[in-house]
Amino acid sequence: MQLRLIAAPLALVLAACNGGGSETTATTQSTDDPTQGTVADPSGDPGGPDPTDSSTENPPTGGDPTGDPTSISTTDPTGTTGPDPGPLVEPGDPGSGDVTFEIRADIDRRPISPWIYGTNQYDDLATTNRGLGLVRQGGNRMTAYNWENNASNAGSDYQHQNDDYLASQLGVDGDIPGEVVRAPTADALDAGADMLVTIQICGYVAADKDGGGDVDQTPDYLQARFNPTIARKDAPFASDPDLGDDAVYQDEFVAWLQAQFPDAFFGDTARVLFSLDNEPDLWSETHTRIHPDPVGYAELVAKNTEFAAAIKDVAANAIVAGFVSYGYAGYTTLQNAPDAQGEFITYYLQAMADAEAEAGKRLVDVLDLHWYTEVHANGQRITGDDNSPESVAARVQAPRSLWDDSFQEDSWIANDVLQGPVRLLPWLQERIDEHYPGTGLGFTEYNYGGGGHISGAIAQADVLGIFGREGVRLAAYWALSDQTSMIWAAFRAYTSYDGQGAHFGDTSIHAVTSDVAATSVYASTDASDPARTVIVAINKTDAPLTAAVTLAAYAEYSSVAVWQLAGAEPELVAAPDLSLPATNAFLYEMPAYSVSVLVPQ
């Protein structure tokens, strides 16, 4: 995974890995089919002086309000311990439409984690990206980042060079310990978002910022140009790290962050989360100077266990995410690991369950994966900026592979490996339920392309709706180009649809469409206000469609406020209110290729 920095309010240093690979890989959109011997990572860390800058979005804030989504009561009609919702108002007949949307507030209730509204790059947390729930600082550059001196190594993204790239891109003083992490964390927390910080577990971090190209030009470079990264200091922590001890301690780093942001570590769940490095399944390709051999099953489990335990010993209330895989071949074989023993995700989850039993406490809270769709159209991967009719048609359907067992995408995963639907979220949840129940699911890098086109907005809005409905714990979008305006508009459909902070609710409710190929629909209410309903309706076709909407809700509504994202402009525009011809039932004409927010009044 690569690290990309952003010239944002405090220019976050964020890294992406789009299935693993370099900036060149991202441009060529090669496949990460392991049978072809290549890795596809549309996200790249240019590593040099001119990175691509990107922007982002935002939602409801602070801590983990959802806890374990699997623990939600199915007998309590509110799904919460909130106020009595009162009687349910059943809907009347809206009339006939091209599709039907059935929405019910009394079933399929599940808390929505604000951490799914996350990003690896942002622009303006106060306005453009208002309501962001999570900011992640990760990527290839973070694997060899040294928090004590802010040095890092670019790996294969830029000549395997040690330098001060991160501090220079953020515009912070790299001579201040931890400033590369402290500054963006302060920025995120001040804006109401929580921060996901990378912990270095690969083995070594950069000892200097000397530049000069490949570190292998230095004799004994591993000893001369790097310091070991060690889980535990086994000595008192210092307020300022010892730059002369030739070692970097990660538990001391966690303690240092606690001292910088004490309020963020207060309460049941810390607002600073920790991720166990970045794309270890590709270390031997991206960071050959410090990890030349492919990582093995046993090695990675041991590293995750050791470093997660060290983090928890310092910050018991902090969420820890692992193993941060680059993509599907990493999920299944850890990129053909030398000691492969069956499917890696199964092995990993069971190993973490065993580690909890031995430690007497949970060590890894979230299964952290990256997912860059491998769907191809018009001769290329749809994660790029091609907006041909073929790519548009494929892009708006691609999110169905997250859940739909009737949909088979055009990818090497579906066609060659599975020979059927991907159904990613059910597949992963089945493994969690069997081997380590209660583990959250996270996607800290993902991308569906088309960032400057309405098809990209449709895919992004669809993905956010799916993440909320299916109980994903955390997610962070990764921008692959500077074409991102439609992505942030799609975020705003959930985080600030009126431009003033009005957002999708905190509890997902039953919402079903009669045509999943042509449309998607998601609905929510608030735990504290069961009468409030917000609906996101998506038209994936090139023609207007009339939806016949029925809404069984804890209120009787008289009108529906409407905001629409359609056409070429990345803005949600208020449309005339809708009247209701029958109780909690109405017809809504969705514009062609559009995302609509419907708020019954």
Side-chain angles (χ1 to χ4, degrees), residues 222-279:
L222 199 57
Q223 288 70 40
R225 306 292 301 277
F226 293 91
N227 289 329
T229 175
I230 300 171
R232 297 176 186 276
K233 187 175 183 180
D234 291 327
F237 300 140
S239 56
D240 292 314
D242 183 353
L243 301 181
D245 62 1
D246 297 326
V248 176
Y249 301 102
Q250 296 304 325
D251 59 348
E252 187 170 53
F253 179 37
V254 175
W256 180 86
L257 279 168
Q258 278 186 319
Q260 301 298 313
F261 304 103
D263 290 348
F265 287 87
F266 181 77
D268 293 337
T269 305
R271 295 185 58 199
V272 176
L273 300 75
F274 296 97
S275 181
L276 298 172
D277 216 291
N278 175 72
E279 296 186 346

Side-chain angles (χ1 to χ4, degrees), residues 271-331:
R271 295 185 58 199
V272 176
L273 300 75
F274 296 97
S275 181
L276 298 172
D277 216 291
N278 175 72
E279 296 186 346
D281 21 20
L282 298 181
W283 281 342
S284 62
E285 298 179 38
T286 57
H287 289 284
T288 55
R289 301 299 178 263
I290 60 175
H291 203 292
D293 299 322
V295 72
Y297 280 31
E299 176 193 357
L300 189 57
V301 162
K303 286 180 180 292
N304 270 240
T305 302
E306 179 186 15
F307 281 83
I311 294 167
K312 292 285 191 174
D313 282 352
V314 176
N317 65 343
I319 297 296
V320 174
F323 63 106
V324 202
S325 177
Y326 86 93
Y328 192 80
Y331 307 172

